[in-house]
Amino acid sequence: MTRVLLVDDQALVRSGFSLILSVEDDFEVVGQAGDGAAAIELTRELRPDIVLMDVQMPVMDGIEATRRIVAENLAKVLVLTTFDHDEYVFDGLAAGASGFLLKNSDAEHLVEAVRTVAAGHALLAPQVTRRVIEQMVAGERAPSGTVPGPRPTTEPAPAGLTLLTPREREVLELVGTGLSNAEIASTLFLGEATIKTHVSNVLSKLHLRDRVQAVVLAHRVGLV
């Protein structure tokens, strides 16, 4: 059973999300909050597995709330918003969110997104462009309305990279291109369960939280 906390400043939106998730046998909506500060307190109290987090809210916005929840290792956060501007995506992922999904996604995609994040995978909506990833790699955002310049020189590889087997390094490179486990399995002619094990080993050896961090690292050190 995946325990979910809903955070949105509109009660009607929270009710809609609750209705969608509550009909699923593997979800339990354990609470609701109308702002980021309340979300942090409820997360500490209820210890949900997933926090479904809006961005623009009173008292404290969803980005800051996400940053604090992740910093305390209280729960995984799936940022869900009506805004698809690059700055919201960048800030949400940089704050430690494990996924980003737009509110106009249908019920099926919402359910699948929560399941994906609960399973320990990162989820990026199709609207999350390569430009956003490149901005994360650069460590800074380009001014609104401009196109980022060339990527900076790659960073030194972390020590943990030397601990990877050749196959794990190959898997990391493919993760960095945005492929799913199934797609990597097809590319390498291996079973999906085997790829899942390799990905888990990569994250553990490199001390990475999820696939988002793996993608960013692969770009930073020049594997992609």
Side-chain angles (χ1 to χ4, degrees):
M1 183 68 70
T2 298
R3 293 161 50 83
V4 183
L5 175 68
L6 305 176
V7 186
D8 195 289
D9 61 340
Q10 299 183 41
L12 188 60
V13 172
R14 298 197 304 270
S15 296
F17 291 159
S18 180
L19 182 62
I20 291 171
L21 297 177
S22 295
V23 298
E24 302 294 330
D25 294 335
D26 53 339
F27 291 144
E28 178 186 3
V29 177
V30 297
Q32 300 183 21
D35 63 73
I40 295 172
E41 293 304 316
L42 280 178
T43 303
R44 289 170 177 159
E45 176 186 346
L46 301 174
R47 293 302 174 115
D49 301 299
I50 303 292
V51 178
L52 204 57
M53 183 77 74
D54 188 24
V55 172
Q56 288 197 333
M57 296 181 293
V59 185
M60 179 187 294
D61 65 41
I63 302 301
E64 180 59 27
T66 295
R67 185 175 294 109
R68 298 189 188 189
I69 288 170
V70 172
E72 294 185 34
N73 198 28
L74 298 174
K76 296 172 183 176
V77 179
L78 174 58
V79 174
L80 186 61
T81 178
T82 56
F83 302 97
D84 60 353
H85 301 302
D86 285 346
E87 59 266 26
Y88 291 112
V89 181
F90 178 92
D91 289 342
L93 296 178
S98 294
F100 183 96
L101 194 68
L102 298 183
K103 283 183 181 177
N104 61 7
S105 300
D106 58 31
E108 181 180 353
H109 284 127
L110 172 61
V111 169
E112 186 60 31
V114 176
R115 287 190 178 129
T116 296
V117 173
H121 306 303
L123 180 136
L124 302 179
Q127 293 84 352
V128 180
T129 64
R130 181 179 180 85
R131 185 162 71 89
V132 176
I133 296 297
E134 289 179 347
Q135 289 175 17
M136 292 186 70
V137 171
E140 60 183 12
R141 270 173 293 175
S144 179
T146 65
V147 177
R151 271 177 45 197
T153 304
T154 55
E155 298 177 1
L161 204 60
T162 61
L163 300 178
L164 301 184
T165 65
R167 178 64 81 187
E168 289 168 351
R169 187 183 180 96
E170 189 175 15
V171 167
L172 175 59
E173 292 176 3
L174 293 174
V175 168
T177 66
L179 297 185
S180 66
N181 285 353
E183 291 168 332
I184 295 173
S186 177
T187 300
L188 298 180
F189 302 102
L190 295 172
E192 190 171 348
T194 300
I195 298 303
K196 184 177 180 180
T197 298
H198 285 318
V199 171
S200 178
N201 290 340
V202 167
L203 298 182
S204 177
K205 290 180 180 181
L206 297 177
H207 305 290
L208 301 174
R209 184 184 64 250
D210 53 37
R211 294 173 82 98
V212 171
Q213 289 193 334
V215 169
V216 173
L217 181 138
H219 281 264
R220 280 179 172 161
V221 300
L223 292 180
V224 180

